[in-house]
Amino acid sequence: MDLLKGSTDQLVLRPGDIGYEEELSGFQTGFTLRPDVVFAASSTRDVAAAVAYAAERGLPVGVQATGHGLPGDADGGVLITTKRMDRVTVDPEARTVRIQAGARWGQVVAAAVPYGLAPLNGSGPGVGAVSYILGGGLGILARRFGYAADHVRSLEVVTADGRTRTVTRAGDPDLYGALLGAGHAFGVVTELEMDLVPVPRLYGGVLSFDGHAVPPVAVLRAYRKWTESVPEELTSSLSAVSHPDIPALPPQLRGRYIVSVRLAHTGADGEWLVAPLREIGPALEDSLREMPYADSHTIHKDPEFPHAYYGDSAVLDDLDVEAGARLMARTGPGAPSPCVLQINHLGGALAREAPNCVPHRAGRYLVRLLTMRTREAARALLDPAFAEVEPWTVGRALNFAFGSGDRTEGLYDAGTHKRLAGLKVRYDPANLFRRNYGGFDVTS
């Protein structure tokens, strides 16, 4: 190990060095990264020095914060880790927050709530905030406020030429729009500033049903009908998980197929709105309640322990109940391995246009599937499942292509893809940043 010339105190690690394996570790354990060199950045200056090192040698660059989504193209090249860059600064008067590249959503929530403000965070407090935003950012208040990317004011980014730029919509609308929705394909974002929203409290939680006691399709049908009339202040999703009967799980989960509705509502009529859901049948769990925003992570209860997973997504222009029932049958108790199915209700503010490249805004639902299998085995399970909803599929979501960066089709519509390909030639002609699941490299 050594320090990078031109850097302040950046640690450089190579295979065989003490600390190399630990630096690579993250939330996703199913895929192994083997970069030739790892740069453990502590500042924007460190990132710029690492990018210059890679550019001089023509090496691909990947970026990792928390390791929820892995940059596979870092293999054999350069990986920049940003987990040490985790400063979060709130301006309560302006209702904004500045977030460094390695900060997690739990830190941002904790910094904002003392001022009665909330960030447009996702469901998991351990997820890296900046990478989430660069992929669009579908949060727990998404139907009310739109994608997190829609609320970014400025970004600090190191581009392929080694320059550190402050990018705004007014100053560089092309790069601004490309960064918000295309991940790290155009540079390494080291910090960004975004809006906070005045949401000190919300109504939310989970309503769960035992799939062996209440027919899963009955829950799906009721949920589909319910989403037709709820206001945009209410954001929700349906999940279906078949839990194995193993001692490691809590007794209430063992061997059960659980279908749940999770929701967050910023209005004052939450109890009235959820009444139709409570009529579906006896609930296994009902935690719907008013809560301070600091407790919003309890709605989804995402796992906090690192584990292996592979998954994909489909944005739908409609949710056909019979097709959804077949999807549940393929991924439920009869599936060859446990699956997590989630269906997000879209629309509302998510459908409004914004000056970025987050695509498929006309989508009404998002289907997400996860399984803990190898890439090949997972595709053998997931492909037939997604085929059930193919007639209504308009694309895929970048942030939910978990491990499936080998598939680039559908992540952007044709017009957005063409525009991004042109910008890629302009900003990264050597294709230094190859973690672009949209496939818009310089040969597109």
Side-chain angles (χ1 to χ4, degrees):
M1 69 180 68
D2 51 27
L3 297 179
L4 179 62
K5 183 179 179 181
S7 176
T8 52
D9 58 355
Q10 180 168 207
L11 188 65
V12 179
L13 298 166
R14 295 178 171 82
D17 286 345
I18 296 174
Y20 175 86
E21 301 293 344
E22 182 179 359
E23 191 67 22
L24 292 177
S25 64
F27 190 81
Q28 165 67 274
T29 64
F31 300 90
T32 302
L33 292 176
R34 305 306 301 177
D36 286 350
V37 58
V38 180
F39 297 101
S42 297
S43 66
T44 298
R45 181 181 172 187
D46 285 350
V47 172
V51 170
Y53 174 96
E56 290 171 2
R57 294 159 178 79
L59 297 174
V61 176
V63 186
Q64 177 176 313
T66 64
H68 281 73
L70 300 184
D73 288 321
D75 282 8
V78 168
L79 179 69
I80 302 172
T81 59
T82 62
K83 58 187 175 183
R84 294 166 182 79
M85 301 171 61
D86 62 352
R87 186 175 64 248
V88 176
T89 307
V90 171
D91 183 337
E93 297 299 321
R95 290 182 179 174
T96 61
V97 60
R98 295 193 67 85
I99 310 170
Q100 279 195 310
R104 301 170 185 246
W105 274 124
Q107 297 169 258
V108 185
V109 172
V113 294
Y115 305 103
L117 301 171
L120 298 177
N121 56 287
S123 58
V127 172
V130 168
S131 292
Y132 160 98
I133 295 167
L134 298 183
L138 180 66
I140 62 173
L141 304 179
R143 281 177 37 84
R144 171 65 180 87
F145 295 103
Y147 290 99
D150 300 345
H151 295 265
V152 172
R153 297 193 177 191
S154 67
L155 307 97
E156 183 180 78
V157 58
V158 178
T159 47
D161 56 8
R163 289 178 54 190
T164 300
R165 309 170 187 239
T166 298
V167 179
T168 64
R169 179 185 179 186
D172 192 341
D174 289 340
L175 185 56
Y176 173 88
L179 289 169
L180 295 169
H184 290 290
F186 291 88
V188 183
V189 174
T190 57
E191 186 172 334
L192 59 77
E193 180 184 26
M194 70 179 301
D195 297 324
L196 296 171
V197 295
V199 180
R201 302 183 67 82
L202 56 78
Y203 177 90
V206 61
L207 190 65
S208 296
F209 303 92
D210 185 340
H212 298 296
V214 178
V217 69
V219 183
L220 176 64
R221 182 175 289 107
Y223 178 72
R224 171 65 179 82
K225 182 179 179 180
W226 178 73
T227 58
E228 292 178 353
S229 60
V230 296
E232 66 180 38
E233 288 81 11
L234 196 153
T235 303
S236 68
S237 64
L238 178 145
S239 73
V241 184
S242 183
H243 297 276
D245 188 3
I246 57 175
L249 290 176
Q252 68 270 22
L253 299 180
R254 294 176 193 168
R256 277 181 160 152
Y257 183 49
I258 298 179
V259 184
S260 306
V261 177
R262 292 88 61 90
L263 62 92
H265 176 54
T266 58
D269 50 356
E271 281 291 311
W272 178 80
L273 284 171
V274 302
L277 298 178
R278 288 191 166 124
E279 294 176 359
I280 295 173
L284 189 64
E285 177 185 2
D286 184 346
S287 66
L288 299 174
R289 69 205 186 277
E290 185 181 348
M291 67 179 76
Y293 198 83
D295 291 345
S296 61
H297 65 280
T298 65
I299 296 173
H300 288 77
K301 303 175 186 175
D302 289 348
E304 300 178 0
F305 55 89
H307 59 281
Y309 49 94
Y310 183 97
D312 212 338
S313 62
V315 181
L316 311 182
D317 59 12
D318 198 3
L319 178 59
D320 180 82
V321 173
E322 298 308 315
R326 294 192 298 270
L327 177 65
M328 296 177 87
R330 286 187 178 275
T331 58
S337 66
C339 291
V340 177
L341 165 64
Q342 180 165 312
I343 301 174
N344 290 75
H345 182 211
L346 305 179
L350 293 166
R352 296 168 192 156
E353 292 302 317
N356 55 51
C357 65
V358 181
H360 310 314
R361 289 179 177 265
R364 297 177 61 193
Y365 298 90
L366 171 68
V367 172
R368 299 158 54 182
L369 284 174
L370 283 178
T371 185
M372 300 177 189
R373 308 197 81 186
T374 64
R375 189 189 304 271
E376 293 75 18
R379 291 251 62 101
L381 171 59
L382 299 187
D383 286 350
F386 280 114
E388 300 290 358
V389 294
E390 194 278 332
W392 301 273
T393 298
V394 297
R396 297 163 62 224
L398 178 63
N399 270 357
F400 305 112
F402 296 114
S404 56
D406 54 319
R407 299 181 63 241
T408 62
E409 65 274 11
L411 290 175
Y412 300 95
D413 58 86
T416 300
H417 186 282
K418 182 178 180 180
R419 178 166 57 89
L420 289 172
L423 292 172
K424 185 69 172 175
V425 173
R426 176 178 165 189
Y427 287 103
D428 185 15
N431 201 20
L432 195 67
F433 304 109
R434 298 177 194 171
R435 188 199 176 193
N436 60 90
Y437 294 163
F440 38 85
D441 59 33
V442 295
T443 62
S444 295

